[in-house]
Amino acid sequence: QLQLVESGGGLVQPGGSLRLSCAASGFTLDYYHIAWFRQAPGKEREGVSCISSSGGSTNTRASVKGRFTISRDNAKNTVYLQMNGLKPEDTAVYYCAADPLKYCSGSMSHWGKGTLVTVSS
């Protein structure tokens, strides 16, 4: 069974950091493009950052650029999202998604169930 499991979310104060992990089971991520999305309460889901299967290309939305970094460790079958300088507006459920062909797409084939990030003092 193909699964993506996110972890690392939690409550953090403004200005703090978290590292989210997206671990795959049942398949290897080596040949998959990976993306992080988030959905805040009452808002639509939005793309946060993407990384190509080779790791050679990344894209990050403007509002988090310079604060969030996506990376992958194929040996661990895991993708990460390092989040620094967190702001209250970063509060959301964060999802990872994977697809062998689609890059940075909202219609990627595999999705995790999400991890909640709350930024509050």
Side-chain angles (χ1 to χ4, degrees):
Q1 186 177 1
L2 308 183
Q3 278 191 318
L4 291 171
V5 179
E6 302 93 338
S7 62
L11 173 64
V12 63
Q13 292 187 341
S17 297
L18 286 174
R19 188 177 78 159
L20 304 184
S21 299
C22 172
S25 62
F27 68 111
T28 58
L29 289 178
D30 296 37
Y31 306 107
Y32 284 75
H33 305 307
I34 307 297
W36 284 96
F37 292 83
R38 68 185 181 185
Q39 187 165 20
K43 295 188 177 181
E44 292 189 356
R45 185 181 64 196
E46 61 184 19
V48 177
S49 191
C50 314
I51 187 166
S52 63
S53 56
S54 68
S57 295
T58 61
N59 289 81
T60 303
R61 72 180 300 109
S63 62
V64 305
K65 195 168 289 186
R67 300 188 295 122
F68 290 12
T69 304
I70 191 170
S71 63
R72 62 192 301 155
D73 185 341
N74 287 347
K76 294 183 178 180
N77 218 27
T78 302
V79 174
Y80 303 99
L81 184 69
Q82 178 67 44
M83 306 187 296
N84 300 326
L86 283 160
K87 303 176 180 181
E89 52 264 41
D90 295 319
T91 295
V93 178
Y94 284 72
Y95 302 89
C96 66
D99 196 280
L101 296 175
K102 297 176 182 177
Y103 178 69
C104 274
S105 170
S107 60
M108 298 174 86
S109 55
H110 305 295
W111 290 79
K113 293 183 178 180
T115 185
L116 176 63
V117 172
T118 303
V119 185
S120 175
S121 55

